[in-house]
Amino acid sequence: MQREVPTWLVAIAIYGGWLCLTWNHASVPLWLVPLLGGGLLAWHGSLQHETIHGHPTGIPSLDMAVGYPPLGLLTPYAVYRTSHLDHHEARSFTDPDVDPESFFLSPRDWQRLPTVVQSILILNNTLIGRMVLGPPLVAIGLFRTEIARLRRGDRRHFAPWLAHAVAVSVVLLWTRGVCGMGVLEYCLLHVWPGLSLTLVRSFAEHRPGAIRAEQSAIVESGPALSLLFLNNNLHAVHHAMPGLAWYQIPRVYRQRRESILKSNGGYF
């Protein structure tokens, strides 16, 4: 069993901070709530990503327990885990036919869309558009994918969604029943800005290209955003060494910066 103290400290800070913020939400200035709540939920998404890659224990059931609570409400942990591991195995990170996390569309799917939808998606490819429109578009895309799966007769995600519904009920029992925070308030002031911040990290992380290694970006950042994203902004390092713990990534990047930027085609 691994002993990853930094990851445990992050988990304690996230869950402790979330409990504290939701309990005291009525006394926090309204303008500050989405910054704190969104930041905690984006940080939690980064923690979930770490647990999918075998941290902090290396024991799948324990790692899942660390990342499972659905503070962001939207995606079942098991569904996210399957999708993300398929993303790592994809032969191209931008081909929507093989990468479930691709933000790209195939020409045939693009041409089928109404003009107004194309305009929305073009706006979604700007940073401000991704932050504002991205969260509802991600939700719509998730539900469309899962409904299409059911229509094909694929019920493999039925049990994860059922467990997710129970876990979401527990989260809402705390936020609504105990803390007195409305569901809409939680969605608008915590969930939406949390996913919005997460989409900042993924905004430029992959680009099309014939060479797979050159499709993943290096985005250098200051300590605050690097901690928020658990260094996943150094995305080319993560894809080259997906089992590397988040706090080890900067050291590896510093030691091998020149060769890493060479191998990813200077996508910096």
Side-chain angles (χ1 to χ4, degrees):
M1 181 174 176
Q2 301 166 165
R3 298 180 178 180
E4 296 190 1
V5 173
T7 308
W8 283 113
L9 291 176
V10 165
I12 291 169
I14 290 170
Y15 290 117
W18 181 79
L19 289 170
C20 183
L21 178 62
T22 51
W23 177 258
N24 295 286
H25 72 97
S27 59
V28 178
L30 185 61
W31 64 268
L32 188 57
V33 174
L35 296 177
L36 296 177
L40 283 168
L41 262 61
W43 205 13
H44 181 256
S46 299
L47 176 65
Q48 285 187 315
H49 174 261
E50 282 295 299
T51 65
I52 286 171
H53 286 286
H55 309 284
T57 72
I59 301 173
S61 58
L62 290 181
D63 295 332
M64 181 178 71
V66 173
Y68 192 89
L71 305 188
L73 303 183
L74 188 59
T75 309
Y77 180 90
V79 172
Y80 172 38
R81 184 179 189 277
T82 299
S83 173
H84 188 67
L85 293 179
D86 287 346
H87 163 71
H88 273 268
E89 294 297 322
R91 66 177 181 268
S92 170
F93 300 130
T94 57
D95 184 342
D97 292 329
V98 298
D99 181 6
E101 295 188 357
S102 174
F103 279 92
F104 290 79
L105 290 174
S106 65
R108 67 178 183 277
D109 289 338
W110 175 259
Q111 291 164 5
R112 292 172 183 166
L113 294 175
T115 302
V116 64
V117 177
Q118 290 180 347
S119 299
I120 291 171
L121 294 180
I122 289 172
L123 183 57
N124 189 49
N125 272 347
T126 66
L127 180 58
I128 187 64
R130 187 67 56 88
M131 294 180 70
V132 175
L133 299 175
L137 289 177
V138 166
I140 292 169
L142 172 66
F143 294 135
R144 286 187 62 189
T145 298
E146 294 301 299
I147 290 170
R149 184 186 300 276
L150 283 175
R151 286 177 174 170
R152 294 194 304 268
D154 184 348
R155 301 184 181 278
R156 287 175 295 174
H157 287 179
F158 182 78
W161 274 102
L162 186 61
H164 180 67
V166 173
V168 165
S169 298
V170 174
V171 171
L172 295 180
L173 180 64
W174 167 260
T175 57
R176 179 74 180 99
V178 177
C179 301
M181 183 189 305
V183 175
L184 182 61
E185 179 184 356
Y186 184 70
C187 289
L188 291 179
L189 298 183
H190 294 254
V191 177
W192 194 318
L195 186 50
S196 178
L197 282 172
T198 298
L199 291 172
V200 170
R201 178 194 57 74
S202 64
F203 181 67
E205 71 183 8
H206 293 298
R207 67 175 176 179
I211 301 174
R212 189 173 184 267
E214 295 183 356
Q215 293 179 342
S216 298
I218 287 291
V219 182
E220 292 184 357
S221 184
L225 288 181
S226 294
L227 180 60
L228 180 69
F229 300 142
L230 295 183
N231 297 313
N232 202 22
N233 47 293
L234 302 175
H235 207 59
V237 181
H238 171 62
H239 270 285
M241 292 172 278
L244 194 65
W246 65 275
Y247 52 87
Q248 297 171 325
I249 290 176
R251 173 180 53 81
V252 171
Y253 176 60
R254 288 193 300 269
Q255 292 173 347
R256 309 180 190 178
R257 185 178 187 275
E258 185 175 345
S259 64
I260 288 169
L261 291 176
K262 182 178 180 180
S263 66
N264 88 329
Y267 187 25
F268 172 80

